[in-house]
Amino acid sequence: MDLLARELAVSLEPDRRTLRQDEPLYLTFEVRLVAGEPLILIEGGDYRNRLGRPESYALAAIDVERGRRLSIRDAGPQLGGVVGGRRVSADKPFRRRLLLAHWVRFEAAGAHRIVVGKQLRCAEEPWSGDSMRRPAAEIGVQVATTIEVQPPDGAALGAVIDALGRRTLADDDTVWREAEQALATIEDSRVVSHYVRLLQRPGERPFVALKRLCRHATDEALHALGQALAEPAYRSYEVVLGLGANPHPGALALLWSFRRDEAANIRLAVLQGVFQRRPADCIERTRMFLADPEPSVREEARRIVEELQGMV
């Protein structure tokens, strides 16, 4: 592929060629400079969505044996993201790791063809913010690979969960983040113990673990959430709101315990979480927020009361 008097080679390589239906798998999208001077690839602005999926990569998965395309998961609203430049030289290719489960869930065993399309946006050196806004050249590329999908196996998935869980404790930032993102795509309660251990790690990891634990309705998950959220520093709007969607019988009581939190955004999360859960006394609980000291919370309570009354 020629671009701006450079020769580029683009490839797509899975971490392994065989996986089970319920296992996560990373693909490596690579752009190599074969000939010519280094150039800049403009990346980003595409990942702020429900899945954290880079939407500038268009992925398709085809069930080869049945001749059909798999449905692509809904990533929700797209809110952009930071844009930056990545220098590509002869000794330093550009690589982007793509988590296949962010796009598709495999419905059956058999051979699957994975196709990734990408519009490469390029700038020449020296480059600046202006060159990122107006790239020197753009070219569409498409690469593909084939993987063999096997039926699910509980014991095999348990081994994968444990391996990923150990990697979330790694010191290397890239290693633990990649492992955690893969672990988060597995819908199995055995991931809970690994997120509980992650709560004990420093830095950002406890906040990531709390967000993931909100999705699991086990006693272990709820106990860990209750212990961590007893510390105000660990309370966030997203985590407290997540309790409203947690089907554990004790999640509502934990959510309600923060209704008088000093932070207005936490009280707002409680209000919206109660509305999301809709207990039998939802309207009575909501009316309590009509006297909240924060105007935005009072306004949201008023709106919700009106909506609930309209449902009667």
Side-chain angles (χ1 to χ4, degrees):
M1 178 183 64
D2 291 325
L3 181 69
L4 298 173
R6 279 89 164 174
E7 184 180 348
L8 301 177
V10 184
S11 62
L12 183 69
E13 187 68 26
D15 279 1
R16 57 188 186 279
R17 294 285 175 181
T18 302
L19 77 154
R20 299 192 179 274
Q21 280 177 245
D22 48 8
E23 294 176 3
L25 175 72
Y26 275 97
L27 309 167
T28 299
F29 176 91
E30 182 180 88
V31 179
R32 290 186 296 107
L33 180 66
V34 178
E37 295 298 315
L39 79 164
I40 306 297
L41 289 185
I42 301 168
E43 272 285 294
D46 60 351
Y47 56 86
R48 286 180 179 157
N49 53 63
R50 183 172 58 84
L51 299 174
R53 181 175 80 196
E55 289 288 73
S56 61
Y57 293 81
L59 187 144
I62 300 96
D63 184 331
V64 175
E65 297 179 18
R66 297 163 187 82
R68 67 185 184 211
R69 287 191 171 217
L70 276 62
S71 299
I72 299 299
R73 299 181 64 191
D74 179 16
Q78 302 304 316
L79 304 175
V82 177
V83 179
R86 301 283 294 276
R87 189 175 190 267
V88 181
S89 61
D91 60 346
K92 190 174 183 180
F94 165 79
R95 295 188 179 97
R96 182 63 187 261
R97 300 277 282 165
L98 306 175
L99 183 55
L100 191 52
H102 281 166
W103 278 269
V104 294
R105 301 287 196 191
F106 292 107
E107 302 164 359
H112 287 73
R113 183 171 172 78
I114 311 299
V115 182
V116 173
K118 170 71 172 174
Q119 191 75 10
L120 298 181
R121 304 175 64 237
C122 306
E124 295 190 278
E125 296 183 308
W127 63 291
S128 64
D130 186 63
S131 64
M132 284 197 296
R133 289 188 294 272
R134 290 191 290 274
E138 294 190 35
I139 187 170
V141 299
Q142 189 176 84
V143 285
T145 190
T146 301
I147 58 175
E148 184 68 27
V149 178
Q150 298 178 342
D153 179 281
L157 181 61
V160 170
I161 289 171
D162 289 343
L164 289 171
R166 288 191 295 270
R167 295 188 70 185
T168 64
L169 304 177
D171 292 331
D172 185 277
D173 190 67
T174 300
V175 170
W176 84 258
R177 288 181 186 279
E178 188 174 285
E180 189 284 318
Q181 288 176 1
L183 195 67
T185 67
I186 300 176
E187 297 174 357
D188 189 297
S189 62
R190 286 176 289 182
V191 306
V192 169
S193 61
H194 295 288
Y195 281 116
V196 171
R197 280 195 289 273
L198 204 59
L199 287 172
Q200 310 306 316
R201 304 296 288 185
E204 184 185 349
R205 286 182 236 206
F207 298 94
V208 173
L210 288 171
K211 183 173 68 173
R212 305 304 191 195
L213 285 169
C214 281
R215 296 166 38 190
H216 295 277
T218 68
D219 291 346
E220 183 183 15
L222 192 70
H223 178 71
L225 284 163
Q227 283 195 319
L229 294 177
E231 295 291 333
Y234 284 126
R235 293 175 207 159
S236 70
Y237 171 84
E238 184 178 14
V239 170
V240 175
L241 180 64
L243 292 172
N246 190 309
H248 191 285
L252 178 61
L254 181 57
L255 171 70
W256 191 243
S257 70
F258 304 121
R259 66 191 181 277
R260 296 189 180 90
D261 195 274
E262 292 183 0
N265 70 321
I266 299 302
R267 299 195 302 275
L268 179 64
V270 173
L271 169 62
Q272 294 173 336
V274 168
F275 179 59
Q276 183 175 234
R277 196 175 184 92
R278 307 285 176 87
D281 59 349
C282 185
I283 194 165
E284 287 78 12
R285 291 180 190 251
T286 301
R287 283 190 175 123
M288 293 179 60
F289 291 91
L290 293 172
D292 193 273
E294 171 59 41
S296 61
V297 177
R298 295 198 303 270
E299 177 59 25
E300 179 70 352
R302 183 197 61 77
R303 184 193 67 78
I304 291 174
V305 167
E306 290 180 358
E307 185 171 340
L308 289 171
Q309 288 174 333
M311 295 176 180
V312 177

